[in-house]
Amino acid sequence: MTISSEYDYIIVGAGSAGCVLANRLSKDPKVRVLLLEAGGKDRNPLFRLPMLMGKLFHSGIYNWHYHTEPEPWLNNRSLYWPRGKVLGGTSTINGMIYVRGNRHDYDRWSQFGLPGWSYDEVLPAFRRSESHVQRNGRFHGDGGELTVCRARGHNPLMDVFCEAGQQAGYPLNDDFNGETQEGFGRYDFTIRKGKRWSTSWAFLRPAIYRSNLTVITGAETTRLLIENGRATGVEYLKAGNMSVARSAGEIVLSAGVVNTPKALLLSGIGPADELKAIGVKPLHDLPGVGKNLQDHVDCVMSWECRQPITLFGDLRADKLIPAVAQGMLFGEGITTTFPYEAGAFVRSNDGLVAPDIQLHFMPALEKTANLHFPNPFRKKQRVEANHGFTIRVGPVNPVSRGEITLRSANPTDKPKILANYLRDDFDVRTMIDAIRLTRDIVNQKAFDDYRGLELAPGPTAEGDAELTAWLRATAMTTFHPVGTAKMGNDPMAVVDAELRVHGIDGLRVADASIMPIISSGNTNAPAIMIGEKCAEFILNA
């Protein structure tokens, strides 16, 4: 076993929050910072093109390739859970949609007795990171490292979708991160000059040459070293060799919603009885570790399009291959956009204080939104055979809760992930309401010239029973898991309001696992904000 140098701060995980922390903490040249990342470097230039995001999600590159256990309320289907294993973490493979969440989300956190986490208190942290290309003012920053821009695409169906939303009685919204979240509009993205702008590019690369920052890739954390109730080091595996890094100050777990609880559990921090049952010696009984798992479940609704204006024509190989070159060389063209650019946040009933449903709109069918080759010998097909549009629909505040547990005491074994999607009838009811709401939107006049046959769930799925059966057979994850090391003061809380692990000195958690309740929308922006807040707490301690 190799013993490395001693550091003031050790950060486990170079993901969305970890890269922020590495940047902020290493600004002081007097402190020594170590950043450990299980994955490798984000070198593949093709993966910086936004349109190729789907290839990253489904490839084994940069990816932990997790799967859930058979989900009991989804007909025992196992769902694919891609998580980033690379510098930048999941920000290197995600959809780049920048959504902070709703004001109400953070005010609820604050009402749980968590000072510093109300919307007005987290807004400065969001603004500090951000450098928005087009927006400024009270809600946006223009001097941060994280470049954010408006949607770049020009497909006309995006405007049709927004017009239909307005015809259905919902407001237009130019900025989901502004005064209000509710309405129809286009998302903002972490894209800079047509390229993916991950936290690795935004925060880590500017800091990487600081002499006091050490970055070790290919280093998979196996456990934390705890001595007399204090975290003093990290044991990690690199190239088959075990090494130990020591900390004179603090250790921050930023390994993500799966690997942060895994590291705690392997270190003996978690539910004591569960740890004993798999052969891990309990050091600190903390029953909430790995519990409170939340994720945005959604369903994929789709329609044929009667006009050939979808993305299908742009994704032909003879067009896409030169478009890749255009995107790489000049930062322009179809490959520099993300297909789900339009969306909405709406309330299923007027009595709610905030939107409870999110929509993602894509001017293509998911089955045809892939590289394909033209076939000159194929008989001419009707337009609708290839052209269509897709709307992903789901609740932003699901009630169902799951957990992450160890499969064994072997640190190289993947943990068990059980999300329990649609376990609670409230989530099923919300999704059925969302399906009917979405149908009403697509049936508006704006879609009359484009709307073809409803493909999914299909016109025969009308009643609650049929829609419930379809959901259990087809519902998916939106890839937004959070909550497995939740912040709070109750018996199931793992960290306090300053992200310190209850009962263990010198140890904090900074990633999406600390969320007590999931944020309303895509979760990458909140994870970055959590990294900013943790840096504040450490530097002001």
Side-chain angles (χ1 to χ4, degrees):
M1 179 177 289
T2 301
I3 306 296
S4 68
S5 301
E6 186 176 76
Y7 300 88
D8 296 292
Y9 302 113
I10 298 175
I11 304 162
V12 178
S16 296
C19 287
V20 175
L21 278 161
N23 181 296
R24 301 296 185 240
L25 297 180
S26 66
K27 279 187 175 180
D28 182 351
K30 298 188 296 294
V31 302
R32 299 155 298 169
V33 180
L34 172 64
L35 179 62
L36 294 173
E37 168 55 44
K41 298 178 180 179
D42 51 339
R43 287 176 171 168
N44 192 321
L46 289 179
F47 289 166
R48 295 199 63 212
L49 291 178
M51 186 61 75
L52 301 185
M53 166 263 175
K55 301 300 181 185
L56 273 73
F57 250 48
H58 294 285
S59 74
I61 305 173
Y62 299 168
N63 199 331
W64 284 96
H65 248 256
Y66 287 131
H67 290 79
T68 71
E69 298 298 295
E71 292 290 341
W73 287 271
L74 294 185
N75 295 353
N76 287 316
R77 289 183 291 126
S78 176
L79 269 58
Y80 177 46
W81 263 38
R83 297 285 91 197
K85 186 179 182 182
V86 62
L87 294 179
T90 304
S91 77
T92 297
I93 66 171
N94 69 357
M96 297 152 287
I97 297 177
Y98 183 83
V99 171
R100 296 173 179 173
N102 194 285
R103 170 186 288 272
H104 184 60
D105 299 330
Y106 303 104
D107 288 346
R108 281 198 296 171
W109 294 10
S110 178
Q111 289 160 11
F112 292 152
L114 298 169
W117 292 94
S118 70
Y119 176 77
D120 289 336
E121 290 170 307
V122 300
L123 180 58
F126 278 118
R127 295 183 71 247
R128 184 182 311 126
S129 291
E130 184 185 29
S131 180
H132 204 294
V133 176
Q134 294 95 356
R135 307 186 196 276
N136 54 37
R138 175 188 169 196
F139 296 102
H140 294 282
D142 57 8
E145 293 86 351
L146 186 72
T147 299
V148 181
C149 68
R150 290 174 178 267
R152 298 166 55 88
H154 303 289
N155 188 280
L157 283 176
M158 304 284 190
D159 293 331
V160 171
F161 171 75
C162 293
E163 184 181 356
Q166 193 173 25
Q167 291 173 351
Y170 303 101
L172 293 178
N173 190 341
D174 182 60
D175 183 6
F176 293 131
N177 301 306
E179 182 70 37
T180 181
Q181 188 186 51
E182 188 170 12
F184 278 65
R186 299 198 186 195
Y187 293 111
D188 283 355
F189 291 85
T190 50
I191 294 174
R192 179 183 173 92
K193 297 180 179 179
K195 305 288 180 61
R196 172 188 296 275
W197 200 242
S198 69
T199 57
S200 171
W201 280 79
F203 296 97
L204 188 57
R205 285 177 182 252
I208 199 80
Y209 297 109
R210 294 173 184 167
S211 60
N212 62 325
L213 173 62
T214 301
V215 179
I216 302 178
T217 56
E220 185 169 350
T221 295
T222 55
R223 68 184 178 105
L224 305 170
L225 303 180
I226 311 296
E227 299 174 6
N228 300 318
R230 183 177 185 84
T232 60
V234 176
E235 184 181 88
Y236 64 93
L237 193 63
K238 181 176 172 64
N241 298 312
M242 194 67 73
S243 298
V244 169
R246 294 283 181 178
S247 169
E250 296 196 55
I251 297 170
V252 184
L253 279 176
S254 295
V257 72
V258 177
N259 291 322
T260 282
K262 178 186 176 185
L264 290 169
L265 294 168
L266 286 169
S267 306
I269 303 169
D273 290 342
E274 292 182 16
L275 294 175
K276 290 177 185 176
I278 60 165
V280 174
K281 180 182 178 182
L283 294 181
H284 178 51
D285 187 11
L286 201 57
V289 174
K291 313 304 181 185
N292 192 50
L293 173 60
Q294 302 159 59
D295 190 13
H296 287 141
V297 62
D298 73 357
C299 61
V300 178
M301 301 181 69
S302 59
W303 284 260
E304 292 180 338
C305 183
R306 294 191 289 115
Q307 297 192 29
I309 60 171
T310 71
L311 295 178
F312 179 78
D314 295 313
L315 296 176
R316 283 175 32 176
D318 57 335
K319 290 186 177 181
L320 190 59
I321 292 172
V324 168
Q326 181 188 22
M328 290 300 303
L329 294 173
F330 306 109
E332 298 174 353
I334 189 66
T335 61
T336 69
T337 67
F338 182 66
Y340 281 103
E341 286 200 331
F345 292 92
V346 296
R347 290 178 289 167
S348 59
N349 69 76
D350 292 337
L352 297 172
V353 298
D356 62 331
I357 293 168
Q358 182 180 10
L359 309 180
H360 293 82
F361 178 83
M362 177 173 69
L365 298 174
E366 285 211 343
K367 68 176 182 179
T368 61
N370 292 295
L371 178 69
H372 56 274
F373 292 85
N375 183 353
F377 302 105
R378 186 175 60 189
K379 292 182 179 180
K380 185 174 178 62
Q381 292 180 294
R382 50 195 284 272
V383 168
E384 294 90 331
N386 294 317
H387 289 275
F389 54 89
T390 299
I391 306 177
R392 297 191 69 150
V393 182
V396 294
N397 296 126
V399 175
S400 302
R401 297 289 185 269
E403 64 178 5
I404 290 175
T405 56
L406 293 181
R407 197 172 299 276
S408 74
N410 184 344
T412 63
D413 283 349
K414 291 184 176 181
K416 293 181 180 180
I417 302 168
L418 184 63
N420 284 326
Y421 296 110
L422 299 186
R423 179 176 67 176
D424 197 286
D425 288 341
F426 179 86
D427 296 342
V428 177
R429 180 74 259 164
T430 303
M431 291 196 75
I432 290 174
D433 290 344
I435 290 169
R436 291 181 173 141
L437 177 153
T438 303
R439 281 173 165 167
D440 179 61
I441 293 162
V442 176
N443 283 330
Q444 297 299 314
K445 181 177 176 59
F447 273 110
D448 283 354
D449 292 336
Y450 310 95
R451 180 181 56 249
L453 178 68
E454 180 184 313
L455 300 174
T460 61
E462 286 286 348
D464 287 3
E466 292 90 350
L467 290 173
T468 299
W470 178 73
L471 286 170
R472 298 207 187 281
T474 65
M476 304 169 60
T477 167
T478 321
F479 313 112
H480 300 158
V482 307
T484 51
K486 81 166 186 172
M487 176 172 54
N489 306 303
D490 62 279
M492 295 299 288
V494 177
V495 300
D496 66 13
E498 294 196 359
L499 308 184
R500 296 170 295 207
V501 174
H502 289 299
I504 301 291
D505 293 333
L507 180 61
R508 300 189 200 234
V509 173
D511 54 38
S513 64
I514 66 96
M515 292 189 188
I517 296 179
I518 194 169
S519 59
S520 298
N522 312 72
T523 51
N524 188 237
I528 294 169
M529 178 274 291
I530 290 165
E532 290 279 15
K533 292 290 288 185
C534 187
E536 279 182 32
F537 298 142
I538 292 173
L539 295 174
N540 293 333

